[in-house]
């Protein structure tokens, strides 16, 4: 990991966890050429879903943003595992796809996924600025309130 990224993580009070094992029949990441695809990450903390339920029903926007931040931390943990511990190999986060378990009338998915966008940009600086989707869903695995996947350009 680059010293600059490590310093930002420390400054933000973030310790990356061990990358979570897949919960079903898929791999946590795939590297193809200079692209790193990270499978959807849930708001896990201490091995458990930390933010569960539906936005606009049982979860408020601030809690949803915290869930999105946890997803982003888990994305970074997967990237660290994929890149042999060197997050400095990330040249650019190309896109985050954010999925928000939402009540039918909830329309602030974009505000929820800002939790992840702000964290990724804060940790990775210019390389963390990305394109994004924020989509409402009827339900997510394990009753998670948020799930986010990522595509990154990496250095050899």
């Amino acid at each position: 990991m680059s010293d600059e990224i490590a310093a930002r993580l420390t400054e933000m009070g973030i310790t990356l966890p061990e990358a979570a094992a897949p919960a079903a029949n898929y791999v946590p990441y795939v590297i193809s050429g200079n692209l790193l695809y990270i499978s959807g990450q849930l708001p896990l903390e201490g091995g458990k879903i930390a933010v569960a339920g539906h936005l606009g029903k049982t979860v408020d926007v601030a809690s949803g943003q915290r869930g999105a931040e946890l997803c982003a931390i888990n994305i970074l943990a997967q990237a660290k595992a994929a890149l042999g511990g060197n997050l400095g190999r990330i040249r650019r986060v190309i896109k985050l796809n954010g999925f928000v378990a939402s009540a039918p009338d909830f329309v602030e998915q974009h505000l929820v996924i800002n939790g992840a966008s702000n964290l990724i940009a804060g940790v990775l600086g210019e390389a963390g600025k990305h394109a994004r989707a924020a989509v409402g869903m009827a339900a997510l695995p394990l009753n998670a309130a948020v799930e986010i996947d990522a595509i990154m350009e990496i250095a050899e």
Side-chain angles (χ1 to χ4, degrees), residues 97-119:
N97 291 303
F99 306 96
V100 180
S102 303
D105 59 346
F106 183 77
V107 295
E108 295 184 321
Q109 291 83 1
H110 61 293
L111 297 178
V112 172
I113 302 303
N114 275 349
S117 292
N118 293 342
L119 190 140

Side-chain angles (χ1 to χ4, degrees), residues 115-128:
S117 292
N118 293 342
L119 190 140
I120 294 285
V123 171
L124 298 177
E126 193 64 31

